[in-house]
Amino acid sequence: MSFDITHLPQVYSDLVIADPINAAIIKQYCTDPPSKPLLLAGPPGAGKTEAARVIARSYFEKHDLQKMRWEHNAATLGKAFEDRIMNEVNFQMFGNPDKALVVINEIDTFDLRSVQPMFREFMDSHRHLIRIIATTNHKPRIIGALLSRFRVIDLEPPSNLDWVDRAKAILAAEGLTPTRGDVEQMLQNFQGSARDLIDFVEETVIATKAAV
């Protein structure tokens, strides 16, 4: 298994969220999610998709839900979104007294005029059945009537200092024993996204093990 897949966030404590208030809201959705759908908005590298996945996994584990295909991209769903989502909902709801949960990435790619109004109506009529977690890089591309259905969290990419504890945990999982100061120094001049950072940590592991 590749390094980045091995170290994907699995639980809330694996996430790196820059703002502590946003982190607390995401934690709430992981532990005892409110009924209101959640929209995670922000630029690439802010942690939206991984946070959405961790919320979903936490919910499935807590409620012992069977899931089939719970994560979708809005561009792929298109106008056929209702049939595809309801297939998953019916699967999850079999013998389950709670709601189903579905993640929809890049929800802004639903067509602005034709699909977004339909999806708003779908959310309203199925709120008793489905918890929806969505992500977007482009919040202004979502119509107000749809946006108002969500609790919107605006995420910013974490700073290098925000990444220290997570990077240290990954290094420890790889058998290294750096101090916090070591990791702070390692990340001091790092520039890039979360995807770049996991590559950077992998390169550090390779170089450190090769030097031993």
Side-chain angles (χ1 to χ4, degrees):
M1 187 179 295
S2 64
F3 190 90
D4 58 334
I5 298 297
T6 298
H7 296 291
L8 281 174
Q10 298 297 316
V11 295
Y12 170 77
S13 59
D14 293 337
L15 296 173
V16 180
I17 306 298
D19 185 274
I21 295 177
N22 289 341
I25 294 171
I26 290 169
K27 184 177 183 180
Q28 182 184 24
Y29 273 83
C30 287
T31 54
D32 188 20
S35 60
K36 190 165 187 176
L38 178 68
L39 176 64
L40 301 168
K48 305 180 301 295
T49 302
E50 295 308 330
R53 289 170 177 167
V54 166
I55 290 169
R57 292 189 189 104
S58 300
Y59 187 72
F60 295 140
E61 182 176 350
K62 180 178 180 180
H63 295 279
D64 194 24
L65 292 183
Q66 298 297 314
K67 64 273 189 188
M68 185 170 59
R69 189 182 174 193
W70 49 271
E71 183 175 0
H72 302 273
N73 187 287
T76 303
L77 284 174
K79 292 182 179 180
F81 70 84
E82 183 165 1
D83 287 343
R84 295 184 182 183
I85 291 175
M86 288 309 299
N87 283 340
E88 169 64 14
V89 169
N90 291 332
F91 184 82
Q92 288 188 30
M93 293 297 293
F94 184 75
N96 168 35
D98 207 329
K99 299 179 182 180
L101 186 146
V102 174
V103 171
I104 301 178
N105 290 315
E106 299 179 19
I107 196 169
D108 57 277
T109 57
F110 276 141
D111 184 79
L112 190 70
R113 293 179 177 83
S114 61
V115 181
Q116 289 193 28
M118 292 168 55
F119 191 76
R120 176 190 60 79
E121 294 178 4
F122 174 80
M123 288 179 67
D124 287 348
S125 60
H126 293 82
R127 189 169 180 175
H128 63 294
L129 291 177
I130 313 172
R131 296 182 188 273
I132 295 176
I133 311 297
T135 70
T136 179
N137 294 340
H138 305 286
K139 191 171 63 173
R141 297 180 186 174
I142 303 173
I143 62 172
L146 177 57
L147 201 61
S148 68
R149 267 53 182 181
F150 288 94
R151 183 172 190 176
V152 181
I153 305 299
D154 293 301
L155 299 179
E156 294 294 333
S159 68
N160 288 4
L161 189 60
D162 293 328
W163 275 105
V164 169
D165 288 339
R166 178 62 182 153
K168 186 174 183 295
I170 293 172
L171 292 169
E174 291 291 325
L176 306 184
T177 57
T179 66
R180 181 178 175 84
D182 292 335
V183 181
E184 288 178 359
Q185 184 174 5
M186 181 186 84
L187 296 178
Q188 185 174 7
N189 297 316
F190 171 77
Q191 294 181 343
S193 68
R195 297 177 182 88
D196 298 324
L197 185 132
I198 197 70
D199 293 337
F200 179 68
V201 173
E202 181 180 19
E203 292 164 5
T204 301
V205 170
I206 293 171
T208 303
K209 290 184 176 179
V212 174

